[in-house]
Structures are given as C-alpha cells and as structure tokens.
Amino acid sequence: MSAITATAAPEAPARAAAPANRTTLLLEGPILATLLSLAWPNVLVMVFQASTGLIETFWVSRLGSDALAGMALVFPGYMMMTMLSAGAVGGGIASAVARALGAGRRQDADALVLHALVINLGLGLLTSALFLIFGGAIYTTMGGEGASLHAALAYSNVIFAGNALMWVMNAFASVIRGSGVMKFPSLVICIGVALLVPLSPLFIFGFGPLPGMGIAGGGVAVVFTTALMAALLGWYVVFGKGLVRLRRTRLSAKLFADILRVGAAGAVNTLTTTLTVAATTGLVGAAAGPDGVAGYGTGSRLEYLLIPLVFGIGAPLVAMVGANVGAGRRKRALQIALTGAAVSFALCEAIGLAAAIWPGAWLGLFGSNPAMLAIGGAYLHWVGPAYGFFGLGLALYFASQGAGKLAWPLIGGVLRLALAVGGGWLALRLTGSVGAVFAMLGLALIAYGAVIAMAVRSGAWFRRA
C-alpha cells in the first residue's frame, strides 16, 4: 500500500477546475436536472450488473441441473456480499467522502480513501474465510447434497477466494461516486460485464489448448473481470483526474467511525430486508405449499427489479445530500432528498399499478402453472399498488446515508419486518388466507415508506438524538 501511495502523482493545479466544478454542481446546480443527469449512468450499470447473473446462469445450465442447483446455493451469499460492499458499507464510504468535500475538508476526503480500503479489504478477507471454511456446512443446511453440493463447493471456493477483490473494487467505486462522478465507475463495470460474455464459456468449456474447468470456470471468469475492474477504478483514484486521491496518511479512529456509523447501519438494514423476505416466504409456504412459494417468488421478483432502478437515483442522492449537509446547506439537502423520493415514488408506483392491473404480463414470462399464476396474481394485486412507497422509503434510505443519519430508515425497516412477519402470521391464523398475508405485506411497504418520509420531512436529520 505504501508503494502505491508513494508513487501517486501530485495533483496539478490545472486539474482542480473540473473536480471543483463537480462539487459546485452538487451544491448549486438545479436539483432535478442534476439528479437525473447523475442517475442515468447508475441505472445503466445496475442493469448490466443484473445481467451478470443471467449470463452465468445461461452457460452453467449447459452443464446440467446439478451444476445449476450448485450455483443457486452459492448465489444468495455472493449477492449478500455485493449488497454489503456496494450498498451498505459502500454507502458509508460515499457519504463520508461527500460530506468531507462539501465541508471543504479536502485532506480528510483524501484520507478517507485509505480508510475505505482498509475497511473493505478486512471485511472481504473475513467473509472469504467464512465461506471457504464453513461453505460445506452452509450449503448442506440450505439443502445441498451429492452432486449439487460438490458443484456448489467447486464454484464457491473460486468465487470466495477472490471475494476481497470485489470489496476493494466497491471501495474505489464508492469513493469515486462520493465525489460526484458517476459515469466512470459505471463505464468500468459495463466493460467488466461485457468481457464476462466471452470469458464465461471460455473458462467453463475451454477452447483449443485451454482446458474446460466446468462450473469452477464460471467463478474464474467472475474473479478475473472483478480484478480488472478493481485495477481500473484504482488507477482512476491514484493517477486519474478525480477530486479525491489515494495518499499516504495516518489512520484515524474518527475517519473509520465516519464510514462505519453509516455503513454498519446500512448493513443492519440489508440484513433486516433479507430476514423479511425469508420469513414471509415461510409464511406463504405454510399457507399455500410449493405452488404458493413459486407464485410468491415469481411475483416478488418484480420488487427486486425495482432496487436497481432506485439505486440509480439513490447513488447521486448520497453524493448530493452529503455534499450539502457537509456545507451546512440543510434546506437544500432536504429539498434534494424529497425530490429524489418523489421521482422514485412515481416510477415505482407506475410499475406496481401496471403489474396489479395486468399481472399475467409479468408472471407469464416465467411459467404457465395455474396455481403459480393465481398466487402470483394475488401477490401483485395486493402488493403492487404499494410499490411506490417501497421506492419512496428506499430513496430516502440512500438520502439518509448521504446525511449520515440512518436511524429512521432502520426504524422503518424494523416496522416493515414486524408488520410483514408478525402481521402476516396473525392474518394467516385468523383467516387462513394467503391473500390476507399479501395484504399485510402491502401494508408493511406503505408503513415503511410513509414513516421514513414523515420523519425526514419533519427535519429528523437535523435534530439532536
């Protein structure tokens, strides 16, 4: 690390103008126009990232059902690492950088780069060790056995051997986004996904003198492209034109805390969301059996697709709100948050209403089983109209990351968990109807978005705890 920082080129005065203009844009640019101009690259990159799983699944499916089942066992853990490194801790990094730049603390912003790398590298190595040592027990608990368990371990051992690279990549990407630059990290990730298209079949099946590695080859392709993306993003931070640079600095407990107090709260929020989904799946399974789980899972996939859409708006919200809070412009920070929340609400509500009115247009893409279509249609009928509130709350979660104030998004997440799981269980006991469970899921989303919106709108960010 010291070798890298020692060779970092000093910033030339001529380069300061463009980055300074970016910070000025965050602080003074027209809110809606600035938000939308920063959002579209993130929407694009999330679409590309979502396609990564589809590309791998397509090629691994050629190896047979056991390989596909093995990959399915590994996927939730890997996705959790992605959500934690990019969304939770990554949001804490971007927030800290944005607030430092907004307050004019350029030296702290530079110092935060090294602190972000230390945090993400440490967490990456820790989670790698967890899955490399206990992967067999984890996948067995999830139902893996025989050939599917063997395939899961073959894939998992490669993926998690390179897991730290993903955490480092997202540390660099979060630093860059925190400085208000969205296009470069988006471009790099798009390049990585594009390379995955030829590399996955190359490593899985082999070509010429290169032998096929089977399902492990899919993991090799992912690790290779991740290393390339980490190198390109690292180059930008060390040698590029960015406002924030990796420099030699003394580690500070204050700067670690500045990242982790937001990142840790974001991690709890991520885990709460995961627990909500797992528990409600169990409720639906108890009420309607495997067909119910299939219908609920198929219908709720649409909810998951809203997350990349809102992230496209949320990433610039972190930078814009963080910069303005750091500069003491509280009123503008609040206006930015509410503008982003309104855009997110409108987009998600339009999708949810369309799904509630024409559920077959979505469900028919995944199957024609009548029971699945009936259960999935009931889910979309009850929960689709509440999607706007999900988008509202999620956008304000990102904005709260920028403000460094995540208490109310956490309260909203816990409230959603209580209503969805506790209320769903009670509704099932009283009525025996899966429709009643879905009604509670919709109510939980409304409460989630409404509570966070009312708290932020009332100025909760700026009151003392």
Side-chain angles (χ1 to χ4, degrees):
M1 181 63 69
S2 61
I4 294 175
T5 55
T7 59
E11 184 177 55
R15 287 182 172 181
N21 288 339
R22 282 195 292 271
T23 302
T24 301
L25 183 66
L26 300 180
L27 296 174
E28 299 178 5
I31 291 175
L32 182 59
T34 302
L35 178 63
L36 295 178
S37 69
L38 295 175
W40 74 262
N42 293 291
V43 174
L44 178 65
V45 77
M46 291 307 295
V47 171
F48 268 76
Q49 280 190 312
S51 68
T52 301
L54 297 177
I55 293 168
E56 276 199 290
T57 302
F58 175 81
W59 291 115
V60 169
S61 66
R62 273 36 184 184
L63 299 174
S65 58
D66 287 327
L68 198 58
M71 185 177 178
L73 291 171
V74 180
F75 186 72
Y78 186 72
M79 282 304 298
M80 178 66 72
M81 296 303 102
T82 302
M83 293 167 66
L84 289 174
S85 62
V89 181
I93 294 168
S95 171
V97 170
R99 283 182 277 113
L101 291 174
R105 296 184 286 113
R106 171 66 184 277
Q107 190 172 6
D108 281 351
D110 285 343
L112 282 165
V113 180
L114 179 59
H115 289 74
L117 287 172
V118 170
I119 290 171
N120 272 26
L121 181 60
L123 290 174
L125 292 173
L126 179 63
T127 51
S128 289
L130 175 67
F131 280 90
L132 290 173
I133 296 172
F134 301 108
I138 292 171
Y139 303 134
T140 300
T141 302
M142 294 173 65
E145 59 181 22
S148 67
L149 178 60
H150 178 76
L153 289 173
Y155 184 69
S156 175
N157 288 340
V158 174
I159 283 289
F160 285 101
N163 179 51
L165 288 171
M166 181 183 68
W167 283 79
V168 169
M169 177 194 77
N170 282 321
F172 282 128
S174 298
V175 165
I176 296 169
R177 291 190 183 108
S179 69
V181 177
M182 306 292 162
K183 291 182 181 178
F184 185 76
S186 298
L187 174 63
V188 168
I189 293 174
C190 289
I191 290 172
V193 174
L195 285 175
L196 196 62
V197 174
L199 289 180
S200 282
L202 176 64
F203 288 122
I204 290 173
F205 303 109
F207 183 78
L210 182 68
M213 296 182 238
I215 191 173
V220 172
V222 171
V223 172
F224 181 86
T225 54
T226 301
L228 176 63
M229 291 185 288
L232 291 174
L233 293 168
W235 170 86
Y236 183 91
V237 174
V238 177
F239 300 109
K241 299 179 180 180
L243 179 57
V244 180
R245 296 289 185 88
L246 175 62
R247 302 183 189 278
R248 190 193 306 273
T249 186
R250 179 175 298 177
L251 297 179
S252 163
K254 177 180 178 297
L255 295 181
F256 278 127
D258 205 19
I259 293 172
L260 290 175
R261 67 187 175 89
V262 175
V268 172
N269 190 74
T270 298
L271 295 174
T272 301
T273 301
T274 303
L275 180 59
T276 300
V277 173
T280 52
T281 300
L283 282 177
V284 174
D291 286 336
V293 173
Y296 171 58
T298 303
S300 62
R301 285 185 189 183
L302 185 60
E303 181 181 328
Y304 285 113
L305 289 180
L306 298 178
I307 296 175
L309 177 66
V310 179
F311 179 83
I313 300 169
L317 280 178
V318 173
M320 293 176 70
V321 170
N324 282 273
V325 168
R329 301 186 178 191
R330 296 181 172 184
K331 183 177 180 180
R332 177 176 166 84
L334 186 58
Q335 288 175 334
I336 291 169
L338 296 177
T339 300
V343 173
S344 180
F345 176 90
L347 291 174
C348 293
E349 185 66 9
I351 294 171
L353 289 175
I357 297 170
W358 301 289
W362 171 256
L363 299 170
L365 297 174
F366 302 96
S368 57
N369 182 291
M372 183 276 284
L373 293 175
I375 297 294
Y379 165 81
L380 291 173
H381 171 75
W382 284 105
V383 184
Y387 277 178
F389 289 90
F390 176 66
L392 176 70
L394 192 57
L396 290 175
Y397 159 75
F398 285 112
S400 297
Q401 279 189 320
K405 303 289 185 179
L406 278 170
W408 279 102
L410 288 179
I411 291 171
V414 172
L415 178 61
R416 179 192 176 189
L417 174 64
L419 287 174
V421 179
W425 175 83
L426 182 61
L428 184 60
R429 287 291 300 270
L430 293 176
T431 68
S433 168
V434 71
V437 176
F438 292 150
M440 291 306 301
L441 296 183
L443 179 62
L445 285 182
I446 293 172
Y448 167 73
V451 165
I452 299 173
M454 287 188 292
V456 172
R457 178 67 181 84
S458 69
W461 287 349
F462 310 120
R463 291 195 292 268
R464 289 186 177 274

